[in-house]
Amino acid sequence: MKRKLQIATFLVFAGFVGATSLPRLFVTNANTGGLLDEQSPSNREAVINQLPEIQDLRHTKIGLGQRLTFGLEVIDEEGDNVRTELIEKPKSARFNQNTLTVDWTPQPGDGRNGKFVVQVTELPRDKSRQPRTVTKEYNLQIVQRPVKLLELPPAPLEVDAFVTIIDPARLQAANRQWSIVNLFQRIAEIEADKQIKPGSDVQPTNGAQLFRDSLRELAVIHKNPTLNPDSDKFDRVWNAENWRLIAVRPRINKKVFELRLVYFNIKAAEQAYLMPRMRIVRGVDAKRPEELRQKNNYTFARLFHEAFFDGESMKSFVKNDKARYGEALADFMTRVLTYNDPTEPMMRANFAAMPHNSRLGGGNAYDENGNYLFGDGWALGAIKVAPVMRDGKKVLAFTSPFIDGFAANVEPNKEGTAFKPAPPPVTDVNNPNHIKGWERLIDADDHGNIAIPDVLSDGTVRGSNTDTTLNRFEINNGYRFAETGLRDARRRLFEERGMTCMQCHVRNFDEGNYLVDVSNPQKPQTTHVRPVPRVFFIITPTLHSGRNEYIRREEAEQVGNLQGVFRDYLGIKVKMNSPLARDWVHDTRKGRS
């Protein structure tokens, strides 16, 4: 039976979010030419291939002269191509077809209402099926004064203070001390220390230059010259002063604990996120000695505990004084970003990578005249620092390496004592289903994960440094490299990198009961798994996105894991309200497999 169409919300504009609207949605089926109401049970039964899902709009009113920006967000369950168009809008509204973004400040000439009509055409990969069109309307009443709009739904204190810190008051001190250029300056210093050795011909860089490099990389990936500071089409809205630290995420539910810092452009109509990942330990994960991983995790947990706890209890300012909490947070960040253990050269502040997630034109296809054909406008990837040639000199700069992977198969090891990632048949030269060239996509570190593939028009396969066709890599009967079910709870044993980004920010597969241990092949567990509403490309919960069910579950899991970390690494049973479990069942020292 066809699952009921799920509509998720994703609305971006300059600091405002409004109340839920009730859009009308109709479907034109090219096979019959009829106009079908998508809410009809008979229609849901008749259509096997699911229709594209379109965002809802969380507004019913907007004030005259009040700015509103939002993206047209669409996901197709089967990974069919979709052409998204805005076929009706108020005359003062601007629409960027490249980024699928609306920018509207209502004017007196717009009348009493603003009507937007979104048309999405599904272009099936299965050529035996005909295209279908979904049309959706948004209607907003225009009122004389700016309206009071909804705020981000509240979260438990433990989430706000320890999992995803997004309250501007809690981030004020961190923004003062760690602007995006200041943070990039620290990254430049770290990378010079790592990569420039005595006698090396590599030149150092600085924070301002790394910031320009990051914009260049986004411009290349999105084919959008308005982000390139060296282009005459550069839009100054992307200047450094318009970026803010909007989230701090201490990720201590990973195999290697790290600090994730999310920077966001607060002036642009389009969403653009940069997320540096900072650690204490250095070295390649798969080749790093286990004692160094444990030392990183212990040190990170100790610094985090010292910042916000006295023994078993939270410090009083965590709940009662956001300004003082903010100073403690900024100090914790500084201690991580400048950590240096004189007894262990590998225990120094480290930059792991900088994932990015933006709707700036990535994922689109155009005809020979540059006209939009189809696409979602989104691209995600990861940026690292490496030597490049500039003006005849070798200098450190941001570059975009391949996204090296996710587990295609999850299977027991030879001893039957644990699960491990395994390559899919298409990459195994000894398998009859092997496809020439795909063996090059296997991760060189663990020999199990497969890189995000990029298949060229001539059939050549190579690793991709970005994912601009987010849906296709999740379809078992598409490229056929996901042999283990994508909702299989064993997948959360692994840090799957590229796949993890898609699972969290695009498809949001629910992994069932987080408290069931699925790590032992000799004691298989069955977990309840069910679909949850889409999150539509969210890198962190903010006013732009809300806090939906998937995000709430993920946050609850991290609170429970934090209790387990303090228990396992520090021997302290902290007093916190864990909405998922009072006693975290997993030994957090083992990390993910």
Side-chain angles (χ1 to χ4, degrees), residues 419 487-490 492 511-521 523-529:
F419 289 108
R487 288 188 171 93
D488 192 309
R490 291 173 298 174
R492 60 182 159 90
E511 295 174 329
N513 185 352
Y514 289 97
L515 298 183
V516 174
D517 188 351
V518 294
S519 63
N520 188 347
K523 295 182 179 180
Q525 299 279 358
T526 301
T527 65
H528 175 68
V529 176

Side-chain angles (χ1 to χ4, degrees), residues 186 190 258-259 278-280 300 303 331-340 348-350:
R186 183 66 191 120
I190 289 171
E258 64 185 24
L259 188 62
M278 311 302 299
R279 294 177 174 176
I280 292 173
F300 194 99
L303 294 177
D331 181 65
F332 167 70
M333 290 172 55
T334 299
R335 296 181 73 184
V336 171
L337 297 174
T338 61
Y339 190 85
N340 188 349
R348 295 182 182 178
N350 187 33

Side-chain angles (χ1 to χ4, degrees), residues 419-441:
F419 289 108
K420 65 181 181 67
V426 294
T427 67
D428 183 355
V429 294
N430 297 315
N431 191 290
N433 293 318
H434 169 250
I435 300 177
K436 185 178 180 180
W438 283 71
E439 67 277 4
R440 293 194 296 270
L441 299 179

Side-chain angles (χ1 to χ4, degrees), residues 51-63:
L51 288 162
E53 300 174 26
I54 310 174
Q55 70 168 8
D56 199 358
L57 187 62
R58 302 196 295 173
H59 275 76
T60 57
K61 296 180 180 180
I62 190 69

Side-chain angles (χ1 to χ4, degrees), residues 27-37 133:
V27 179
T28 300
N29 189 317
N31 293 318
T32 64
L35 189 64
L36 305 175
D37 183 349
T133 299

